Amino acid sequence: MSKFWSRTAREAEPYVPGEQPSDVNVIKLNTNENPFPPSPLALEAMEQSINADLKKYPSPTADRLKAVIAEREGVDVNKVFVGNGSDEVLAFAFQAFFDPNEAIKMPEITYSFYPVYANLYDIPFQQIPLQNDLSIDVEGLKRSVGGVIFPNPNAPTGLALSRVEVESIVAHNPNQVVIVDEAYVEFGAESAISLTKQYPNLLVTKTLSKSHALAGLRVGYAIGDVALIEGLERIKNSFNSYTINRVSLAGAEAALADEPYYDETLQAIVKTREWVTHDLEQLGFWVAESKANFLFVKPNGIGAETLYQQLKARGVYIRYFNKPGLEGYVRISIGTDDEMKRLIDIIQALIS
Amino acid sequence: MSKFWSRTAREAEPYVPGEQPSDVNVIKLNTNENPFPPSPLALEAMEQSINADLKKYPSPTADRLKAVIAEREGVDVNKVFVGNGSDEVLAFAFQAFFDPNEAIKMPEITYSFYPVYANLYDIPFQQIPLQNDLSIDVEGLKRSVGGVIFPNPNAPTGLALSRVEVESIVAHNPNQVVIVDEAYVEFGAESAISLTKQYPNLLVTKTLSKSHALAGLRVGYAIGDVALIEGLERIKNSFNSYTINRVSLAGAEAALADEPYYDETLQAIVKTREWVTHDLEQLGFWVAESKANFLFVKPNGIGAETLYQQLKARGVYIRYFNKPGLEGYVRISIGTDDEMKRLIDIIQALIS
């Protein structure tokens, strides 16, 4: 605490990201990264962008990237906003659409950055408990005072709502903005993007970090009604004129255009997720029905924290959340088949 | 205006950056970019970073980049903060150190993003008029209520304060944070970084956009007392865990390490600035004594706005600010010798 800090700095409760070990031999199943490399076409486009033009600012409006996204998502280009990772997009959205003194709603167990944003911008929030089966309480998210945010699929459970359920939350908050964070949607859940045509209060955010294997590049986006996009642009242009650099723009444009590559890798990840779920269940573990690239798991025969520590000691990083309601669980990202076989082998040895 | 916008979004007054024409034949002297390409070693390091590791998040703490900066600036590594361009660093600093209800001070004519940040974070501000010679009023920036921000050299005038003058502002605001924005300092002004050892209230920000020809990469940093850096980290970690992507980290590290290349190109720019100043004065224009990579110019025999428009029609972009107090002036970035010869030729033809 310093006398030079603002009230905002004093009251901030920063987010703590998963560990990024420098040892390259580690099997990293702790931050939901994609086990496959980015599209070769994306790598090539980035290489091409490494030239003398880097002396010049990037496009402040990122029109070309927005056009690629609009094409891919089947929306008009003026319904697209882009940012430096979906974390930045979400931060801008909190600032653009939520107000102090008007409590927003979010699930009690969810992406733990949401309460951090709320604290940063002094927005009160109500955390709605999950249902007994760990799914999001759809009724509980209706009729908010200040707005709603939730991920679909939810993190860290991986459980998804149907589009009809998402729509009922949006329809029952007609005067509030509802943000649906679809960071993991490409791994098997239903996107709500088509609903943005009917609902001017719906903002859907996505990221290239997971589905497009570009966590290292930092590109995210949002889709919503023109007025919502304009609100985001107002905040962004009051914060940083050029949030996405030239190389990231080039890489993101090429990645989003390479659908065949990503279709194939997404399918491979889903396939791996299915057999790992089966194997963990065979070991007596409880596994939530994941529509994401990670599994939310309740170990059996070994404590969650012990499992995390024992795996770490053997060079396999998974995520353990030392938080009320989450102590009994671990979250395991889906790696390659080889990585997951190694994981299962170690777990088998640990519990036998 | 939308009913879904927060008060912050409604009241924001976004910054308008200089034009980024897509025509590659344009001579771009409007956004203070460096006319030289980035260091070949920086380009090489970026190329090397285009690989499968982009699937993984970048380092959230950017320790390697911070170490390079600490080495270069002669400070401890825990006195360094890095961000996605110095615009982002400045935005975080406003949020971390300035408070609503405590007016900060800034020069009346200065980088026009400062009032935008102040509006975004609801911070009142007092604009201190420049002196008659357009220099910053040092006395006027003393004894602030909430803090101080100014660039050195100032933009768009290019005029610099001495380190002694900067120190007197810092010393006369002992309980407030003073931010010195040294975006252009490498082109000939005295840096205040050495003063951060004595003054716990001094934060100095810098960018790789101008001096290091990397505007397209978006990397900036701040140097200050450990407590100030910690305040910035609290805001950053409440906003976006990974603000700088892998490629930008690699490029920035290599660029800052290649001092010989940048010493040479900085000297070339200063040399060009000197002869262009002389030539413009020969044409009867008034030119402020610039310590930056741009000239603040009062044309003679042609209006400022006309000059801007006529040059634009001939493929040369300079900056004209349609703002009270600035109507009589244009700002011209220093390009290559060939570009500046072309500029002088066109101006000569226009006024004869």
Side-chain angles (χ1 to χ4, degrees):
Chain A
M1 187 74 69
S2 157
K3 71 169 176 175
F4 295 117
W5 292 0
S6 67
R7 188 173 74 91
T8 305
R10 290 195 305 271
E11 294 182 358
E13 295 177 23
Y15 177 75
V16 180
E19 297 155 277
Q20 293 291 343
S22 51
D23 180 353
V24 291
N25 295 314
V26 156
I27 297 181
K28 250 189 115 274
L29 307 176
N30 68 330
T31 51
N32 299 342
E33 289 146 344
N34 195 309
F36 295 100
S39 145
L41 297 179
L43 295 175
E44 200 186 307
M46 285 185 264
E47 271 166 29
Q48 302 270 333
S49 75
I50 308 292
N51 59 44
D53 280 348
L54 283 168
K55 70 186 179 186
K56 292 190 286 185
Y57 284 100
S59 163
T61 46
D63 295 323
R64 212 161 48 196
L65 175 57
K66 285 179 186 165
V68 174
I69 293 168
E71 166 82 21
R72 177 175 200 268
E73 302 289 1
V75 299
D76 291 342
V77 71
N78 57 3
K79 298 186 72 179
V80 180
F81 178 81
V82 294
N84 185 35
S86 63
D87 281 346
E88 183 179 84
V89 175
L90 290 167
F92 289 153
F94 269 70
Q95 226 181 338
F97 308 124
F98 299 154
D99 272 299
N101 306 323
E102 295 183 9
I104 61 168
K105 287 183 173 187
M106 63 179 73
E108 189 174 23
I109 290 178
T110 193
Y111 183 31
S112 46
F113 221 130
Y114 303 153
V116 173
Y117 296 132
N119 280 321
L120 183 66
Y121 300 118
D122 208 15
I123 297 154
F125 57 93
Q126 192 185 350
Q127 292 175 301
I128 310 299
L130 298 183
Q131 312 221 71
N132 287 337
D133 63 359
L134 297 187
S135 67
I136 284 178
D137 178 1
V138 172
E139 284 306 311
L141 292 181
K142 295 178 180 176
R143 289 167 289 275
S144 75
V145 176
V148 178
I149 184 161
F150 63 94
N152 193 38
N154 194 15
T157 65
L159 295 171
L161 297 179
S162 69
R163 189 183 293 117
V164 170
E165 289 173 306
V166 171
E167 179 170 8
S168 77
I169 295 170
V170 176
H172 285 85
N173 286 282
N175 298 308
Q176 293 77 25
V177 173
V178 176
I179 303 173
V180 183
D181 175 355
E182 295 190 349
Y184 300 102
V185 80
E186 307 261 340
F187 299 99
E190 294 180 330
S191 174
I193 285 179
S194 61
L195 300 174
T196 60
K197 294 177 192 187
Q198 290 158 258
Y199 294 96
N201 62 324
L202 170 61
L203 189 81
V204 178
T205 63
K206 294 181 79 170
T207 173
L208 274 69
S209 296
K210 326 289 185 179
S211 55
H212 287 71
L214 285 169
L217 206 59
R218 316 301 298 126
V219 181
Y221 59 94
I223 308 280
D225 192 60
V226 177
L228 298 190
I229 300 306
E230 217 182 300
L232 289 171
E233 295 285 357
R234 288 177 69 81
I235 299 294
K236 177 251 176 192
N237 289 319
S238 299
F239 177 83
N240 190 351
S241 302
Y242 317 89
T243 51
I244 311 186
N245 66 84
R246 284 178 171 264
V247 183
S248 295
L249 286 173
E253 287 157 19
L256 287 167
D258 190 3
E259 297 210 6
Y261 176 83
Y262 288 107
D263 283 349
E264 200 179 310
T265 48
L266 287 170
Q267 276 169 37
I269 292 165
V270 169
K271 224 165 133 187
T272 305
R273 179 180 75 201
E274 301 313 319
W275 75 250
V276 175
T277 301
H278 176 263
D279 279 20
L280 288 170
E281 287 174 346
Q282 290 293 101
L283 295 173
F285 285 23
W286 177 85
V287 185
E289 192 194 336
S290 174
K291 296 291 182 192
N293 69 334
F294 56 83
L295 297 173
F296 192 60
V297 174
K298 190 173 184 136
N300 185 22
I302 186 168
E305 190 168 8
T306 310
L307 178 63
Y308 157 75
Q309 283 166 342
Q310 292 292 325
L311 283 168
K312 187 172 172 180
R314 286 160 182 79
V316 180
Y317 281 59
I318 63 172
R319 191 95 195 246
Y320 171 71
F321 304 90
N322 197 2
K323 279 188 192 170
L326 295 176
E327 310 93 339
Y329 301 88
V330 293
R331 193 195 66 190
I332 304 173
S333 309
I334 302 298
T336 61
D337 278 336
D338 282 351
E339 290 172 334
M340 302 315 279
K341 274 176 199 145
R342 171 110 180 96
L343 171 90
I344 298 286
D345 285 348
I346 297 176
I347 294 178
Q348 220 154 12
L350 283 172
I351 62 175
S352 70
Chain B
M1 186 75 70
S2 157
K3 70 168 177 176
F4 295 118
W5 292 1
S6 67
R7 188 173 74 90
T8 305
R10 289 195 306 271
E11 294 182 359
E13 295 177 22
Y15 178 76
V16 180
E19 296 155 279
Q20 293 291 340
S22 50
D23 180 353
V24 291
N25 296 314
V26 156
I27 296 182
K28 250 188 116 275
L29 307 176
N30 67 330
T31 51
N32 298 342
E33 288 147 344
N34 196 309
F36 294 101
S39 145
L41 297 179
L43 295 175
E44 199 186 308
M46 285 185 264
E47 271 167 27
Q48 301 270 334
S49 75
I50 308 291
N51 58 44
D53 280 348
L54 283 168
K55 71 185 179 186
K56 292 189 286 185
Y57 284 99
S59 163
T61 47
D63 295 324
R64 213 162 45 196
L65 175 56
K66 286 180 187 165
V68 173
I69 293 168
E71 166 82 20
R72 176 176 199 270
E73 302 288 2
V75 299
D76 291 342
V77 71
N78 58 3
K79 298 187 73 181
V80 180
F81 178 80
V82 294
N84 185 33
S86 63
D87 282 347
E88 183 179 84
V89 175
L90 290 168
F92 290 153
F94 268 70
Q95 225 181 340
F97 307 124
F98 299 154
D99 270 299
N101 307 322
E102 296 182 10
I104 61 167
K105 287 184 173 186
M106 63 179 74
E108 190 175 23
I109 290 179
T110 193
Y111 183 30
S112 48
F113 221 131
Y114 303 153
V116 174
Y117 296 132
N119 279 322
L120 183 66
Y121 299 118
D122 209 14
I123 297 155
F125 56 93
Q126 191 185 350
Q127 293 175 300
I128 310 299
L130 298 184
Q131 312 223 67
N132 287 337
D133 64 358
L134 298 188
S135 66
I136 284 178
D137 178 2
V138 171
E139 283 307 311
L141 292 181
K142 294 178 179 176
R143 288 167 288 275
S144 76
V145 176
V148 178
I149 184 161
F150 64 94
N152 194 37
N154 194 14
T157 65
L159 296 172
L161 298 180
S162 68
R163 189 183 293 116
V164 170
E165 290 172 306
V166 171
E167 180 170 6
S168 76
I169 295 171
V170 176
H172 285 85
N173 286 282
N175 297 308
Q176 292 77 25
V177 173
V178 175
I179 303 173
V180 183
D181 175 353
E182 295 191 350
Y184 300 102
V185 80
E186 308 261 338
F187 299 99
E190 293 180 331
S191 174
I193 286 180
S194 61
L195 300 175
T196 60
K197 295 180 189 184
Q198 291 159 256
Y199 294 96
N201 62 324
L202 170 62
L203 189 79
V204 178
T205 63
K206 294 182 79 170
T207 173
L208 274 69
S209 295
K210 326 289 185 180
S211 56
H212 288 71
L214 285 169
L217 205 59
R218 317 301 298 125
V219 181
Y221 58 93
I223 308 282
D225 192 61
V226 178
L228 298 190
I229 299 307
E230 216 182 301
L232 289 171
E233 295 285 357
R234 289 176 69 81
I235 300 295
K236 177 252 174 191
N237 289 318
S238 298
F239 177 83
N240 191 351
S241 303
Y242 318 89
T243 51
I244 312 186
N245 67 84
R246 284 177 171 265
V247 183
S248 295
L249 286 173
E253 287 156 19
L256 288 167
D258 190 2
E259 298 209 7
Y261 176 84
Y262 287 107
D263 283 348
E264 200 179 312
T265 48
L266 287 170
Q267 277 169 37
I269 291 166
V270 169
K271 223 166 135 186
T272 305
R273 181 181 73 202
E274 301 313 319
W275 76 250
V276 174
T277 301
H278 176 263
D279 279 20
L280 288 171
E281 287 173 345
Q282 290 293 102
L283 294 174
F285 286 23
W286 178 86
V287 185
E289 193 196 335
S290 174
K291 297 291 183 194
N293 69 335
F294 55 83
L295 297 173
F296 192 58
V297 174
K298 189 172 187 141
N300 186 21
I302 186 169
E305 191 168 8
T306 309
L307 178 63
Y308 157 75
Q309 284 166 341
Q310 292 292 326
L311 283 168
K312 187 171 170 178
R314 286 158 182 81
V316 180
Y317 282 58
I318 62 171
R319 191 93 195 250
Y320 171 70
F321 304 90
N322 197 2
K323 279 188 191 169
L326 295 176
E327 309 92 338
Y329 301 88
V330 293
R331 192 194 67 190
I332 304 173
S333 309
I334 303 298
T336 61
D337 279 336
D338 283 350
E339 289 171 334
M340 301 317 279
K341 274 175 201 147
R342 171 111 181 94
L343 172 89
I344 297 286
D345 287 348
I346 297 176
I347 293 178
Q348 220 155 8
L350 283 173
I351 62 174
S352 70

